[in-house]
Amino acid sequence: MTAELATRGITKSFGGVQALAECTLTAPSGQITGLIGPNGSGKTTLFNIITGYERPDAGQVFLGSQEITKAAPRRVFALGVGRTFQLTRIFPRLTVLENMLVPSGHLRGGPAGSPGQRNSAGGGRGHRERAMELLAFTGIDGLSGALAGTLSYGQRKLLELSYVLVADPAVVLLDEPAGGVNPSLVNHLADRISELNKAGRTFLIVEHNMDFVMGLCHQVTVLDYGTVIASGPPDLIRNDPRVLDAYLGSALLDAQAADEPAVDD
Amino acid sequence: MTAQRTLRAAGLVVLLAVVAVFPLVFTNPTATLFAIDTLIFVIVASAWNMFSGFSGYLSLGHAVFYGTGAYFMAVAANDWHMNGSAAFELLPLAGLVAALIAVPVGLIALRVRRHTFVVITIAFFFIAQLAASNLSVTGGSSGLILPSPPFASATFNNPFYYLAAVLAVLTVALAWLVRRSRYGLQLRAIRDDEDRAAGLGVRTMPVKLSALVLSAFITGMAGALWVYFIGTAYPMFVFDPLFDLAVVLMAFFGGLGTIAGPVLGALVLEPAQQWLTLQTTGYESEILFGALFLVIILFLPRGVLPTAAEYLTKGRAVLARRRERPPGQSPSELAESRGGSSRS
């Protein structure tokens, strides 16, 4: 149930704005890959293209050896790529447990020893039990009867992660899982991701929280203006001059400019 | 929890018993006429809710299916010389024709969402009304007269009443089954976030379309029963915009997306409407109903039942808190306990 996710030469523009230019990256099988970059560098657009919510102007997406470039979201999900959204998209007027029963858990046959998923009307026993197990895993099983719309922001992130896991995806894409979440929940989330990864899942994570990314990821890929400008282990990326420039360059220059005394007077 | 379930079951049995004996107690034909109209609206409001309430696609064009069923009944009963209880056998067929019409309607209208969907369903309504006033098969604007059922005049209404009652019970039972099924869950997921549901493997178009077709099937049968009861089919009444508004108002009144909501809406609003129409020259009731619509949308947008349930839960929590509080507590402790529990 592990798989490598790769993009090759993805290009996408919206009107005159080029969001992605020849973007080629790999999320190696069984690893956690971080995807970072300044705002507007094309991270979410790339997620949308990988998961079928948007079509690229050029380029290809591969899951293992299979090309999934033009697959619809439903198909991408069925093939084993689950994702969460930056602004969580849960079903607010369903209960937490009902949210868990929306994804088709049987699409890839599920893990061994999870019987009765196919005919689970409204959640047959197998489906329902697995849903509760996953909620217990992410730690929100106590809220299973609550309407999802009443959850806090962090709890919603956990719910979204939980129901993506229902289909037992080989690859999980997380769009800013730690954004706006309180620090203790961030650690909890990192532990869960780590644990899922040890079981073999491939992760590709967009995140601005650098401690989170550097602590969790095996590989980090940096996007700037829609192109990969660096890729490698966290320690190398942290000190890469191109990355520092992309992230801090303008800010540094601005700061220097502000510090310099005005000489014109 | 079990006490609540027993209470609910007891209420249901009483309601069914009342429905069963109603025509035996109230033999006055005006009473049974009101009752038949009410039951037909129970059927249609529940069927409408099964599609629109669950999926969030608000249809203002269900009169298309109601009218299709009605005209099929009028034409078939005349052409095939079917009368009496034999004519009742045409009801499922009328439903089937309405369901067939729902397929192209759905394939077109369900491509768009929200207000655009609403506007398209209204457009379909006017197409149907115009077609009925101009086609020869519907008798154009002079309408059609159905064969008069050969029932004894004293109990003339009873066969219609009981048929409507059975259909109403079956429809509500079906709505209940749909709501607790995985299919119903997918419909409600579509209501909350259709794209997300699609991204999680829900086949949104087949799910939406089948719900519309099922809803149209039931609505068509109700239309056929109604037209056979009143005996005439005129385009103005068979395709009536007020019909759509009444159905939507009933579902909103009771509680959109609930099972009991549309039933309650029909049971309260249809008799009220009939009574008001009798008391006044006619249009006042429509003005009052328009005002009621405004009041409900503004103050009870989720409907009477969900709002009442919320108040009940809150009231129970308050009572439980009062019971828990030991006597002789200081005011500061009181404030604390109150603050603590209101946060939870």
Side-chain angles (χ1 to χ4, degrees):
Chain A
M1 69 170 198
T2 61
E4 177 183 280
L5 182 74
T7 69
R8 193 183 296 162
I10 296 283
T11 300
K12 174 81 181 175
S13 356
F14 298 101
V17 181
Q18 182 137 39
L20 290 169
E22 295 282 327
C23 179
T24 299
L25 64 80
T26 305
S29 177
Q31 294 206 359
I32 304 177
T33 303
L35 181 61
I36 64 173
N39 289 327
S41 58
K43 306 181 295 289
T44 297
T45 303
L46 187 64
F47 264 32
N48 286 343
I49 285 172
I50 291 172
T51 51
Y53 284 83
E54 272 164 36
R55 294 250 171 119
D57 299 334
Q60 293 155 303
V61 182
F62 292 94
L63 178 66
S65 56
Q66 188 177 8
E67 188 181 345
I68 58 167
T69 313
K70 280 171 185 162
R74 201 175 65 75
R75 173 114 182 94
V76 176
F77 182 73
L79 288 170
V81 180
R83 80 170 283 191
T84 66
F85 286 82
Q86 184 180 351
L87 300 167
T88 54
R89 286 174 74 173
I90 47 147
F91 302 99
R93 283 180 289 175
L94 303 186
T95 67
V96 168
L97 182 58
E98 283 174 334
N99 265 270
M100 296 294 290
L101 301 175
V102 172
S104 334
H106 56 260
L107 281 169
R108 292 176 62 247
S114 53
Q117 292 193 345
R118 183 163 283 278
N119 53 6
S120 51
R125 285 216 70 79
H127 205 161
R128 201 170 280 257
E129 269 167 23
R130 175 153 166 73
M132 283 310 289
E133 275 170 29
L134 284 169
L135 287 175
F137 173 74
T138 50
I140 51 171
D141 49 331
L143 297 163
S144 64
L147 285 183
T150 64
L151 298 187
S152 75
Y153 192 65
Q155 289 165 340
R156 286 174 195 225
K157 296 238 170 202
L158 289 171
L159 173 58
E160 202 179 21
L161 175 62
S162 313
Y163 73 54
V164 162
L165 294 175
V166 166
D168 193 31
V171 181
V172 181
L173 277 62
L174 303 176
D175 199 345
E176 297 201 21
V181 175
N182 83 54
S184 65
L185 208 52
V186 168
N187 291 334
H188 173 70
L189 202 63
D191 289 345
R192 302 291 89 166
I193 292 169
S194 208
E195 203 168 316
L196 289 166
N197 169 249
K198 286 198 183 91
R201 279 192 182 75
T202 306
F203 279 87
L204 180 61
I205 302 179
V206 164
E207 183 52 63
H208 284 298
N209 181 334
M210 283 306 138
D211 292 339
F212 185 86
V213 171
M214 297 303 172
L216 192 63
C217 298
H218 303 113
Q219 296 282 331
V220 177
T221 296
V222 189
L223 273 188
D224 194 25
Y225 293 106
T227 314
V228 175
I229 57 166
S231 192
D235 286 336
L236 283 181
I237 292 298
R238 206 195 304 262
N239 300 313
D240 190 304
R242 287 167 301 179
V243 178
L244 290 175
D245 186 50
Y247 258 97
L248 305 167
S250 54
L252 272 178
L253 290 176
D254 287 350
Q256 279 166 358
D259 282 347
E260 302 214 345
V263 285
D264 283 354
D265 285 4
Chain B
M1 200 65 191
T2 39
Q4 204 181 348
R5 202 174 281 178
T6 321
L7 202 70
R8 230 184 245 184
L12 200 62
V13 169
V14 169
L15 189 66
L16 286 176
V18 168
V19 170
V21 301
F22 183 88
L24 307 176
V25 178
F26 299 91
T27 47
N28 180 349
T30 313
T32 39
L33 184 145
F34 279 19
I36 291 167
D37 268 342
T38 305
L39 284 171
I40 283 177
F41 272 105
V42 169
I43 299 167
V44 177
S46 291
W48 181 88
N49 183 59
M50 214 185 291
F51 167 69
S52 291
F54 292 172
S55 74
Y57 279 81
L58 300 183
S59 158
L60 275 178
H62 260 52
V64 172
F65 313 126
Y66 193 70
T68 303
Y71 267 114
F72 173 82
M73 185 73 175
V75 173
N78 276 318
D79 285 8
W80 300 342
H81 305 291
M82 290 175 97
N83 202 0
S85 31
F88 289 142
E89 288 164 20
L90 291 171
L91 291 185
L93 221 52
L96 221 57
V97 173
L100 224 59
I101 296 286
V103 174
V105 169
L107 282 175
I108 295 169
L110 287 169
R111 301 171 69 86
V112 294
R113 299 179 190 175
R114 299 170 199 280
H115 37 274
T116 322
F117 175 81
V118 176
V119 171
I120 289 190
T121 60
I122 295 173
F124 274 113
F125 166 79
F126 283 110
I127 292 172
Q129 197 190 43
L130 264 175
S133 330
N134 290 291
L135 292 176
S136 60
V137 67
T138 58
S141 52
S142 51
L144 291 173
I145 296 174
L146 283 89
S148 184
F151 301 143
S153 59
T155 55
F156 181 88
N157 288 353
N158 286 9
F160 294 99
Y161 175 89
Y162 282 111
L163 204 53
V166 168
L167 269 182
V169 170
L170 287 179
T171 304
V172 175
L174 185 65
W176 181 76
L177 283 175
V178 165
R179 193 176 200 284
R180 65 194 297 275
S181 70
R182 177 164 171 76
Y183 173 64
L185 186 69
Q186 291 178 331
L187 277 172
R188 289 186 294 139
I190 287 172
R191 176 195 65 189
D192 275 8
D193 188 339
E194 182 166 349
D195 292 330
R196 188 50 164 144
L200 291 171
V202 176
R203 294 168 184 276
T204 51
M205 192 58 174
V207 169
K208 293 185 292 187
L209 186 63
S210 57
L212 177 68
V213 167
L214 183 66
S215 179
F217 175 77
I218 299 166
T219 309
M221 284 210 288
L225 179 64
W226 167 77
V227 84
Y228 189 45
F229 177 56
I230 63 166
T232 52
Y234 294 111
M236 298 307 288
F237 300 117
V238 171
F239 292 106
D240 181 2
L242 287 179
F243 168 87
D244 279 318
L245 290 179
V247 169
V248 174
L249 175 58
M250 285 165 189
F252 267 92
F253 176 87
L256 200 63
T258 65
I259 302 301
V263 179
L264 179 78
L267 288 180
V268 171
L269 296 181
E270 183 56 20
Q273 155 102 48
Q274 296 278 10
W275 183 79
L276 270 172
T277 311
L278 275 188
Q279 301 301 311
T280 63
T281 49
Y283 64 90
E284 287 96 332
S285 71
E286 278 156 23
I287 294 173
L288 270 172
F289 267 65
L292 181 64
F293 210 156
L294 279 180
V295 168
I296 288 176
I297 297 291
L298 286 176
F299 297 107
L300 298 169
R302 294 185 305 134
V304 169
L305 287 179
T307 312
E310 195 175 276
Y311 276 109
L312 259 178
T313 322
K314 269 187 195 160
R316 253 188 230 137
V318 168
L319 279 181
R321 226 176 294 149
R322 280 204 192 132
R323 234 175 279 136
E324 273 169 23
R325 191 184 304 150
Q329 236 176 351
S330 75
S332 67
E333 279 169 330
L334 270 180
E336 257 178 47
S337 73
R338 205 174 290 155
S341 32
S342 69
R343 229 175 290 135
S344 66

